[in-house]
Amino acid sequence: MAIEVKFELKDSDMDHFRDVMRKAQAGAKQLSEKDILANAKNLSNDIKDNVPEFVRERIQKLETFVAMIEDSEWQMPAEERTEVLSALAYFSDPEDLVPDHIPVLGFLDDAIMIELVAAEFKDDIEAFEEFCLYRTREEGRAGDNPITRDEWLEAKRHELHSRMKSRRSSRRGGRSSFRSVF
């Protein structure tokens, strides 16, 4: 029997998550991009099994963030790249809100943080996923078209990066989406 549990994060709750994120980011400043990505991957690998579906679904979003950074063809703009890495810094902190060794609940705070970050990077995630689908679809096309892979990827990437910035700007009054919550 499955049950659904819902809860609401009030402003004071969000303040708590902001504080935790700031502390994690401060502690991760000495970490390299490689370390931050490795820590996020390790978390993902460590908790794929024996966790609630709620957590497992959020871990897939964490994997998308890592893919966005590592995908050399996506060429994430520098500001967005820095913001995603800053968000991923939370997962480098072994002393997060709920210790990970506590069965079932240990990764709940990680899942909540992933959900908060994913909501803030919604436009970026959608654009990246569309880019990946486009790339896969175009790779399968055959023909005598003289346009190169780099050219068609650049055109699509430029279109999606522009759309992503425009949506974020209109929704957040020009401020970066990550800064609006964290």
Side-chain angles (χ1 to χ4, degrees):
M1 170 179 86
I3 64 168
E4 183 175 340
V5 177
K6 292 185 179 186
F7 59 92
E8 179 180 327
L9 295 176
K10 299 192 183 303
D11 287 339
S12 60
D13 301 320
M14 289 301 296
D15 288 342
H16 185 70
F17 276 95
R18 284 183 195 102
D19 289 342
V20 171
M21 178 61 87
R22 279 191 282 274
K23 288 175 186 171
Q25 291 169 328
K29 284 188 178 180
Q30 71 276 7
L31 296 175
S32 68
E33 178 178 310
K34 183 178 175 182
D35 291 333
I36 292 171
L37 292 174
N39 290 333
K41 287 180 190 179
N42 288 339
L43 175 68
S44 175
N45 291 332
D46 290 347
I47 66 172
K48 283 193 177 190
D49 299 320
N50 301 320
V51 294
E53 186 64 26
F54 172 83
V55 174
R56 192 177 355 269
E57 289 172 5
R58 272 60 193 181
I59 291 303
Q60 291 172 342
K61 293 179 182 184
L62 180 65
E63 292 169 350
T64 300
F65 288 124
V66 171
M68 289 168 67
I69 295 291
E70 292 184 332
D71 189 328
S72 62
E73 291 180 325
W74 176 234
Q75 298 177 8
M76 186 174 228
E79 182 179 352
E80 286 83 4
R81 182 181 189 89
T82 299
E83 290 175 348
V84 169
L85 285 166
S86 184
L88 290 175
Y90 173 83
F91 305 101
S92 294
D93 185 1
E95 300 298 321
D96 52 13
L97 286 172
V98 181
D100 293 343
H101 68 275
I102 296 176
V104 181
L105 298 177
F107 296 108
L108 184 59
D109 61 317
D110 298 306
I112 292 169
M113 189 63 80
I114 292 168
E115 190 63 28
L116 292 172
V117 171
E120 289 301 306
F121 285 99
K122 181 181 183 261
D123 296 325
D124 303 73
I125 292 169
E126 288 176 359
F128 176 69
E129 289 174 342
E130 184 176 333
F131 178 79
C132 291
L133 289 171
Y134 174 81
R135 176 174 48 195
T136 300
R137 190 174 54 246
E138 291 300 310
E139 284 173 340
R141 291 187 185 203
D144 296 329
N145 194 341
I147 189 169
T148 68
R149 175 186 175 92
D150 289 340
E151 290 169 333
W152 55 258
L153 283 177
E154 173 59 28
K156 187 64 169 181
R157 184 174 44 248
H158 178 72
E159 169 197 335
L160 292 170
H161 285 190
S162 295
R163 185 177 73 199
M164 177 175 71
K165 286 181 181 182
S166 175
R167 285 182 180 171
R168 186 181 321 110
S169 180
S170 66
R171 187 173 46 251
R172 305 290 185 203
R175 291 176 297 148
S176 166
S177 59
F178 185 67
R179 292 184 192 127
S180 70
V181 169
F182 297 106

